Amino acid sequence: MNRTIRRAGLVTLFLVLALLVRVTWVQMVQGDALADDEQNRRNMIQEYAQPFGDIIVGGRPVTGSQRSAHGGDMRYERTYTDGALYAPVTGFSSQVRGATQLEGIYQDVLNGSDDRLKSPLDLLTGDSAKPGDVLTTIDPKVQRAGFEALGGKKGAAVAVDPKSGELLGVVSTPSFDPSTISGSGKDDDAAWRKLTARDGNDKDDDKPTLNRALRQAVPPGSTFKLVVAAAALEDGLYSSVDEPTRSPDPYTLKGTSTPLENENKAAPCENASLRTALRYSCNNVFAKLATDLGAGKVRKQAEKFGFDDEKQDVPVRAATSNFPKKMDAAQTGLSGIGQFEVTATPLQMAMVSQAIANGGELVDPHMVSRVQDSSGHTLESFEDPDSHRVMSQDTASQLRSAMRTVVEKGTGSNAQIDGMTVGGKTGTAQHGVDNSGTPYAWFTSYAQNADGKQVAVAVVVEDSDAARAEVSGNGLAAPIAKKMMRAALG
């Protein structure tokens, strides 16, 4: 009997010791990991226990908080003012689906869990502090001008201050109201399913939650000719935008028997200067330029503008704009007119005009100026961004002049603004297998008012009600850029 009791006692003692070891291991070794696990509901409860901080546009919050309509243990949910207008900037914050874009990047500041917000007592107890705010560079006039001008079209637009790098407008349509999916009720779930519904034909899906301005790269078409022109001038292949080039019309792609035609067959594209070739968007000139320079030199220039940068943060991570790494001579020629596998985001093409407008210096684009605590003290500042030289001042000056010719006498006439200096480049990019889809209509530009203030804008229209034959950068995209430039410069 005593032996049985002794054995039972030893087993019980062993189990108690094992339990103590396990508890100690969980608390000391796995505690932080378990506390930070996204499946830990206590984190969610704490995150939504108080009103959030705000994302500020033009001095006013475009976000808010309200008591959750669905009850439960998450007391507050996110609200948005002009949600569809600012969704490409704010992203969304959802009790069920997490947070994206600025809401996601600055989640800890906005919910009060960032250690920089906490007092010594908060750090000791682990409690959340009073949330902070995120101040954006977005100009509400520019944002609204772009949003209303795009209207029912599928597309995007980006406006940037060339000297400061501040993003003044980040527009994507069709858009959505993040308020409709911020909670955890049936209505929120139904709204999410409607937003993410697919009809099985991917190219026709609206994808309203996709930020087309930053997160979608498509063929830039003839707007890419600015990059090739910069490469030719920087390399010394031609010394001036007014020097005639050696460009037969039509130009037969090297290594093939395929002639590359110009859209305007009456245009004076044979041996045209860079100014004339940009004015009339001569394919023969830029395909031959890219071939003569070689893919390596064009790529080097493109990468100075930001192409192939896989970590382009504004601070939202932008999709990579691509210049192909493996091409034969014919494909290199096609890349010179922004086709083959060249892709770009509207942000990237705005950066091309930005650098040209700013004398060849590219200031890092950004849409957050400052992150602050509840008392207005700065936690992070982005008011002194980095910059680098993309081209010489002379090259930039020549390209600005040629871009003015495009607007004043060429294919970009719809961007003209009385009392302002405007330069631009149109583009119409093939879309789909054998160009079966509706072409993309592009326009990238800069404007300067009498006071010397500048803005650079890029617009892409993916789809509209226009007939296929009427799709053009000047017809669809330039008027949108004009309205945004006018709103920026007053």
Side-chain angles (χ1 to χ4, degrees):
M1 184 69 170
N2 289 338
R3 182 181 298 174
T4 303
I5 293 173
R6 188 162 54 250
R7 287 177 176 173
L10 288 172
V11 170
T12 302
L13 179 61
F14 174 79
L15 292 174
V16 170
L17 289 172
L19 181 61
L20 289 172
V21 169
R22 178 59 180 166
V23 170
T24 302
W25 175 265
V26 168
Q27 291 181 334
M28 301 300 292
V29 178
Q30 295 182 313
D32 289 342
L34 291 171
D36 295 337
D37 193 301
E38 62 181 18
Q39 301 299 321
N40 186 343
R41 188 164 178 80
R42 290 179 62 187
N43 292 336
M44 296 287 290
I45 294 171
Q46 185 175 6
E47 180 178 349
Y48 292 94
Q50 63 176 334
F52 298 89
D54 285 311
I55 297 172
I56 310 294
V57 173
R60 296 184 178 183
V62 296
T63 56
S65 301
Q66 68 179 13
R67 284 277 188 170
S68 179
H70 312 294
D73 46 18
M74 289 184 282
R75 296 170 61 191
Y76 288 90
E77 62 185 56
R78 204 48 148 158
T79 61
Y80 296 85
T81 302
D82 289 324
L85 174 63
Y86 292 112
V89 176
T90 63
F92 64 78
S93 178
S94 166
Q95 292 179 349
V96 177
R97 294 163 187 91
T100 63
Q101 297 188 181
L102 294 188
E103 289 277 32
I105 293 169
Y106 296 107
Q107 187 172 29
D108 291 350
V109 171
L110 294 168
N111 66 28
S113 64
D114 192 300
D115 286 346
R116 295 172 296 176
L117 300 168
K118 295 181 179 182
S119 67
L121 180 60
D122 293 328
L123 290 170
L124 185 64
T125 62
D127 291 338
S128 293
K130 193 170 182 179
D133 298 321
V134 177
L135 280 63
T136 74
T137 61
I138 300 299
D139 182 328
K141 299 187 299 298
V142 176
Q143 185 77 7
R144 187 170 293 280
F147 184 75
E148 292 180 352
L150 273 163
K153 305 178 187 70
K154 187 187 298 185
V158 171
V160 59
D161 183 321
K163 294 187 182 300
S164 69
E166 293 182 349
L167 290 173
L168 306 177
V170 178
V171 183
S172 178
T173 56
S175 188
F176 71 107
D177 182 0
S179 298
T180 62
I181 60 170
S182 61
S184 55
K186 292 181 179 178
D187 291 344
D188 300 86
D189 184 61
W192 177 255
R193 283 188 279 108
K194 184 177 180 180
L195 286 173
T196 56
R198 296 289 181 264
D199 64 7
N201 188 359
D202 189 63
K203 71 174 184 176
D204 293 330
D205 287 328
D206 285 342
K207 300 178 184 175
T209 59
L210 172 64
N211 187 338
R212 289 176 159 84
L214 305 179
R215 296 291 306 153
Q216 178 168 265
V218 299
S222 293
T223 58
F224 189 76
K225 292 172 181 175
L226 290 171
V227 177
V228 181
L233 292 170
E234 287 291 282
D235 181 69
L237 184 63
Y238 294 101
S239 61
S240 165
V241 292
D242 294 309
E243 180 183 347
T245 63
R246 298 172 294 278
S247 309
D249 182 18
Y251 171 66
T252 301
L253 293 168
K254 190 172 181 179
T256 76
S257 57
T258 305
L260 186 63
E261 302 285 351
N262 291 306
E263 190 73 22
N264 181 356
K265 292 181 171 50
C269 289
E270 183 176 357
N271 299 326
S273 67
L274 294 178
R275 184 188 300 276
T276 299
L278 288 170
R279 175 183 175 183
Y280 292 100
S281 204
C282 299
N283 289 333
N284 63 311
V285 173
F286 290 97
K288 188 172 187 298
L289 274 181
T291 306
D292 290 346
L293 286 166
K297 289 181 179 179
V298 180
R299 180 180 302 106
K300 182 179 179 181
Q301 186 63 57
E303 289 179 349
K304 288 182 179 180
F305 280 110
F307 282 81
D308 296 332
D309 183 354
E310 296 179 354
K311 296 181 180 180
Q312 196 174 83
D313 299 330
V314 295
V316 175
R317 175 66 55 85
T320 303
S321 297
N322 178 64
F323 186 80
K325 290 190 167 50
K326 293 183 179 180
M327 295 184 289
D328 60 25
Q331 292 164 342
T332 299
L334 290 174
S335 77
I337 61 172
Q339 294 289 172
F340 185 52
E341 294 177 354
V342 180
T343 60
T345 62
L347 168 67
Q348 177 60 75
M349 294 318 300
M351 290 166 64
V352 170
S353 290
Q354 174 194 354
I356 293 170
N358 194 40
E361 191 81 9
L362 181 62
V363 181
D364 288 353
H366 56 283
M367 65 176 172
V368 171
S369 60
R370 196 155 53 91
V371 180
Q372 65 185 27
D373 65 16
S374 59
S375 299
H377 298 131
T378 299
L379 303 178
E380 294 178 60
S381 175
F382 302 92
E383 294 170 341
D384 186 22
D386 292 334
S387 65
H388 68 274
R389 181 152 293 281
V390 173
M391 70 194 90
S392 69
Q393 290 189 9
D394 179 64
T395 294
S397 176
Q398 292 201 58
L399 289 177
R400 286 197 303 275
S401 176
M403 290 172 72
R404 290 198 299 272
T405 301
V406 172
V407 172
E408 294 168 5
K409 302 177 181 179
T411 59
S413 58
N414 284 339
Q416 294 175 9
I417 304 174
D418 290 342
M420 295 187 193
T421 300
V422 182
K425 181 68 192 81
T426 56
T428 305
Q430 294 183 1
H431 174 206
V433 178
D434 296 326
N435 198 22
S436 58
T438 302
Y440 297 116
W442 277 93
F443 192 70
T444 185
S445 57
Y446 76 91
Q448 180 173 313
N449 64 15
D451 296 327
K453 185 179 179 181
Q454 295 179 318
V455 66
V457 176
V459 177
V460 63
V461 177
E462 293 181 38
D463 203 358
S464 69
D465 295 332
R468 182 187 177 90
E470 298 173 358
V471 173
S472 71
N474 191 44
L476 294 177
I480 298 168
K482 175 179 179 176
K483 290 179 179 179
M484 294 180 74
M485 290 187 290
R486 181 181 283 162
L489 302 181

